[in-house]
Amino acid sequence: MLVPVLASTLFVTSALLFVLEPLVAKSLLPVLGGGAAVWTTSVAFFQLALLAGYGYAHLAPSWLPPRRHAVIHVALLACAAIALPLRAPADLVAPAHHQAIWLFGKLAVSIGPTFVLLAATAPLVQRWLSSTGHPDARDPYFLYAASNAGSLLALAAYPVLLEPLAGLERQRRLWMGGLALAVVLLGASAAAAWRAGVGKAVSDPVAARSPASAGERLRWLVLAAVPSSLLLSVTSYLTTDVVAMPLLWVVPLALYLLTFILAFARRPLLSGTPAVVRIQGFLLLPIAAEMFMRTGASAAVLVPLHVLAFFVTALVCHQEIARSRPPAARSTEFYLVVALGGALGGLFNVFAAPTMFRSLLEYPVGLIAAALLRPAPEGARPATPRARRRDVLLPVAIGAALFAGVRVVHAIEAHAGARVGLGALIAVLTPAALFTYSFRSRPLRFGLGLAAIMVAGASYAKGAEQTLYTARSFYGTHKVVLQPPATRLLSHGDTTHGAQDLSPPRRREPLTYYHPTGPAGGVMAAWRGRPERRRVGLIGLGAGSLAAYADPGERWTFYEIDPVVIDVARDRGLFTFLADARGTVDVVPGDGRLSLAAVPDATFGLLVLDAFSSDSVPTHLLTREAFALYLRKLTPAGIIAVNVSNRYLDLASVVAGNAAALGLSSRVRFDAPTDELARAGKFASLWMVLGRTIDDLAPLASDTRWTAPEAAGPRWTDDASNLWTVLHLF
């Protein structure tokens, strides 16, 4: 019964760890604006806490006899469970800068001790088994697969079962019940190990005297760091440049865990490492080409492509780690080094990369590093000096050819248009990709060839558009580009957050979602000159486009959480909407909902919610409690206008559901531009307006394009919001 009890303990404790991650991250989302960086930063913290747990598991048994330490570990976990706070304080406010450091600190003082103790359980239990006389004592690594299986199942169940069926408060209660079960199982494991003679087994003297070499440790470290960095990179890339949805946050992490299960299983399902390595080489080249060509393909194509490439790449690295694992006597040292590599990869993405790079450059860097780490084919001959020179010279030749080809492609695009230029680009790229793939049996040559494609691709992208400004903050990467002759566009990932044509005739004309002929323009025109327009509050700034509607005598207050966006909107060299506004315009930094809470009631006659077009939806702005707050801040006849334009989520039904729950009247309008207006910078948009009574919406009564919502959708609350019910990917 020893092994089943130990495996059950690891399964439950690991499941608790990986339910805790999304549970805590979701609890903190409202404090930090709902962005994907909350998740990636939290994952980096958990990797660091995992390292602390593995360090404790490695060192503590050398300080205490195994039996005494087992008792102490169970007692410590029980005490941590009693003291654990799972709910963020109601008055918690994030700072305007250094949000990642602040988040690390909050996580460390709240759930850090419990997480460390839970994380330490896996290597400790394996060490208990290895110090008994049990037949499996010499190779306890199969328990690592059981541990990761619990993690994977919990992580997969969270968005599919737990989040849709239970609110945050119920999730917390269920988690605490699971923690109590874990304490009981851990006590049972300690007792079972005691009966099996823990601490009395004869150790392997050779293993005890031969610690891992520096080279072994370095290889474990790097092989763990690269997929850990890629985990956060691919998550950030998919949820900003492809489809910014929190539902995708758990997918790369789940696959990351699955690679550990496959690599450390007793009988690995994908044991043929050479086959996996070949598949990896085949997948990395399309990823490089996609970044090169900037195709704008649909999420249905790009998400599986990037996720599959990440999965195979992580599996290659983790199979190499598993293949080189040491004897059981040194298992805790092994886990400690692997955890250190994972923590370093995460910390690099969260702290170093934003300082070093203005864009998500850590993603291609990680892919190139993974290519360089590919194992050489079995039986490969030692490289000759000539082969080593060719490992460098051939990729350099490919890069030179690509740079020359890029110049030709740019010339063709300038004279024959983008369609012909795309054909020329494919003609240039295809032979380079084929040559690089032929290098797949030479890791250095293949990795440098991949780097040549990506560097040339960056040159192509830079030449295809004139970038005026790039900056990176906790909330993402922002870029302002010039669209000839005089239009500037502000983008975050693949989402445009504002545009302005600086030619004198059109300088004051709001574009994109805010065009005068669209729903936003209709609302501003209908209430122009009315008392409600005297004070206007707006959540979400972007380029400041809506400030173009501010008239003399009106006071408009924008609330914006991202300091980089504020800097961009205020920079007259980039956008002039704020500077040109005819009314008084204020910009208040910070989360819109938290900032509004400090405003006196009945302040605004018009409240505009415009923080949802990026698809990384701050759900705390769309809950029933949030709309109740908005109503308190409105004057008696005031209205709320909501930009619910979103590619993948039916947010109109959510707003309609909240309107029904609060007894509000609402109208909705979808507007698609004509071809001529689209060329002039107008975007399709979907807006809703809400008032306490239908009379409050009377200024729009004569406009038949504003209609009643078809049906009230889910009623989100601060405790429960389910994205599955409003999701439409295709």
Side-chain angles (χ1 to χ4, degrees):
M1 287 296 293
L2 176 62
V3 169
V5 172
L6 298 183
S8 299
T9 301
L10 295 190
F11 185 90
V12 171
T13 54
S14 298
L16 287 171
L17 284 175
F18 283 86
V19 167
L20 186 63
E21 291 192 24
L23 171 57
V24 171
K26 185 172 182 179
S27 299
L28 289 168
L29 277 175
V31 184
L32 290 157
V38 177
W39 173 249
T40 54
T41 304
S42 297
V43 171
F45 168 80
F46 291 129
Q47 289 173 321
L48 189 61
L50 188 74
L51 171 64
Y54 284 6
Y56 157 72
H58 178 63
L59 296 174
S62 63
W63 302 332
L64 295 168
R67 294 188 176 191
R68 184 180 302 174
H69 179 247
V71 174
I72 292 175
H73 183 69
V74 175
L76 286 174
L77 186 58
C79 292
I82 295 172
L84 176 66
L86 278 178
R87 185 185 293 104
D91 58 349
L92 193 63
V93 178
H97 302 282
H98 308 298
Q99 294 91 344
I101 296 175
W102 176 86
L103 180 54
F104 259 62
K106 291 300 178 185
L107 291 171
V109 299
S110 58
I111 64 168
T114 304
F115 194 97
V116 168
L117 290 170
L118 283 172
T121 301
L124 276 177
V125 167
Q126 292 181 57
R127 183 154 183 165
W128 294 349
L129 176 61
S130 67
S131 65
T132 68
H134 193 276
D136 290 319
R138 287 188 174 274
D139 188 15
Y141 289 101
F142 68 92
L143 287 175
Y144 194 47
S147 170
N148 282 289
S151 304
L152 176 62
L153 182 62
L155 196 62
Y158 186 85
V160 177
L161 295 175
L162 191 57
E163 186 179 27
L165 299 178
L168 284 174
E169 187 57 38
R170 190 177 180 190
Q171 290 177 34
R172 294 184 186 105
R173 291 197 298 268
L174 290 172
W175 194 90
M176 291 301 295
L179 184 58
L181 174 62
V183 173
V184 172
L185 285 173
L186 188 59
S189 295
W194 195 308
R195 288 193 299 270
V198 63
K200 295 182 177 180
V202 179
S203 61
D204 183 345
V206 176
R209 290 195 306 266
S210 55
S213 67
E216 282 182 301
R217 294 193 187 105
L218 180 61
R219 184 163 179 78
W220 295 339
L221 189 77
V222 176
L223 284 169
V226 169
S228 173
S229 172
L230 284 174
L231 165 65
L232 302 189
S233 296
V234 74
T235 302
S236 297
Y237 179 79
L238 290 178
T239 55
T240 53
D241 285 5
V242 181
V243 44
M245 289 177 51
L247 287 172
L248 286 177
W249 294 355
V250 300
V251 174
L253 181 55
L255 293 175
Y256 178 78
L257 294 173
L258 180 58
T259 62
F260 276 113
I261 295 172
L262 296 174
F264 282 87
R266 277 178 165 176
R267 297 178 180 176
L269 296 177
L270 297 175
S271 58
T273 300
V276 177
V277 172
R278 286 194 296 271
I279 295 171
Q280 181 203 25
F282 181 77
L283 289 172
L284 287 179
L285 287 169
I287 295 293
E290 187 271 324
M291 293 179 173
F292 190 116
M293 297 175 68
R294 300 177 296 110
T295 56
S298 70
V301 175
L302 293 182
V303 170
L305 177 62
H306 284 268
V307 165
L308 182 58
F310 164 71
F311 169 73
V312 174
T313 298
L315 181 58
V316 169
C317 293
H318 292 157
Q319 283 182 332
E320 282 296 291
I321 292 175
R323 187 179 59 83
S324 60
R325 62 184 182 268
R330 292 195 277 117
S331 62
T332 55
E333 175 196 7
F334 170 72
Y335 286 131
L336 179 62
V337 175
V338 171
L340 176 60
L344 290 176
L347 293 174
F348 170 76
N349 279 51
V350 170
F351 293 108
T355 303
M356 297 167 60
F357 310 134
R358 291 187 177 182
S359 62
L360 199 65
L361 192 59
E362 61 266 27
Y363 187 22
V365 168
L367 292 174
I368 293 168
L372 294 172
L373 288 171
R374 287 157 55 85
E378 292 184 10
R381 297 178 180 177
T384 63
R386 180 184 179 188
R388 286 194 289 269
R389 287 195 298 270
R390 290 167 64 88
D391 285 343
V392 176
L393 294 177
L394 288 176
V396 168
I398 289 176
L402 282 173
F403 273 100
V406 162
R407 295 177 64 89
V408 173
V409 170
H410 283 155
I412 292 173
E413 288 178 338
H415 291 87
R419 187 181 298 273
V420 177
L422 177 61
L425 179 62
I426 293 173
V428 168
L429 184 59
T430 300
L434 291 175
F435 272 116
T436 301
Y437 185 68
S438 70
F439 303 156
R440 62 190 181 277
S441 61
R442 303 281 303 174
L444 177 60
R445 192 178 304 180
F446 180 82
L448 293 179
L450 195 70
I453 293 175
M454 290 185 174
V455 172
S459 171
Y460 169 73
K462 184 177 180 180
E465 62 184 17
Q466 184 177 346
T467 301
L468 304 178
Y469 175 89
T470 58
R472 187 168 176 175
S473 71
F474 179 79
Y475 303 97
T477 300
H478 304 279
K479 180 169 61 175
V480 179
V481 300
L482 174 64
Q483 189 177 74
T487 300
R488 281 101 186 276
L489 292 94
L490 170 64
S491 63
H492 171 213
D494 67 339
T495 302
T496 300
H497 284 288
Q500 183 178 21
D501 186 339
L502 286 178
S503 59
R506 302 189 64 196
R507 177 172 171 147
R508 294 181 180 271
E509 178 184 351
L511 304 176
T512 64
Y513 307 103
Y514 320 105
H515 198 274
T517 65
V523 170
M524 297 304 168
W527 269 267
R528 188 171 191 179
R530 291 178 173 267
E532 290 77 22
R533 280 272 301 264
R534 291 174 186 166
R535 286 297 308 272
V536 179
L538 308 97
I539 295 180
L541 175 62
S545 304
L546 284 171
Y549 291 107
D551 285 335
E554 297 176 354
R555 190 177 193 92
W556 290 43
T557 304
F558 287 89
Y559 299 95
E560 173 57 52
I561 196 170
D562 193 335
V564 168
V565 172
I566 295 176
D567 291 342
V568 169
R570 284 176 168 168
D571 188 339
R572 296 181 61 131
L574 299 174
F575 297 98
T576 65
F577 288 122
L578 297 183
D580 293 343
R582 292 181 289 268
T584 301
V585 175
D586 301 314
V587 178
V588 177
D591 176 77
R593 179 173 168 179
L594 297 176
S595 299
L596 273 180
V599 174
D601 292 350
T603 294
F604 299 112
L606 171 60
L607 190 58
V608 181
L609 309 180
D610 181 33
F612 314 116
S613 59
S614 70
D615 306 311
S616 186
V617 175
T619 55
H620 68 292
L621 298 179
L622 288 174
T623 63
R624 185 175 59 202
E625 294 86 349
F627 276 88
L629 170 68
Y630 305 150
L631 287 175
R632 293 198 302 272
K633 306 307 172 183
L634 284 181
T635 57
I639 67 161
I640 303 171
V642 190
N643 182 5
V644 288
S645 308
N646 194 283
R647 293 169 295 177
Y648 302 107
L649 300 171
D650 178 17
L651 299 180
S653 66
V654 176
V655 176
N658 286 323
L662 296 170
L664 305 179
S665 297
S666 61
R667 291 292 182 267
V668 61
R669 177 186 165 189
F670 174 73
D671 180 70
T674 63
D675 291 342
E676 181 180 358
L677 286 175
R679 288 192 294 270
K682 180 182 177 181
F683 286 7
S685 63
L686 180 66
W687 286 74
M688 292 186 70
V689 291
L690 299 87
R692 292 184 177 89
T693 68
I694 193 64
D695 292 337
D696 294 336
L697 305 181
L700 293 177
S702 61
D703 191 340
T704 58
R705 294 171 296 183
W706 289 92
T707 60
E710 293 182 0
R715 300 180 180 184
W716 287 359
T717 67
D718 287 347
D719 185 62
S721 56
N722 182 7
L723 289 170
W724 284 109
T725 59
V726 295
L727 175 65
H728 53 89
L729 280 177
F730 306 102

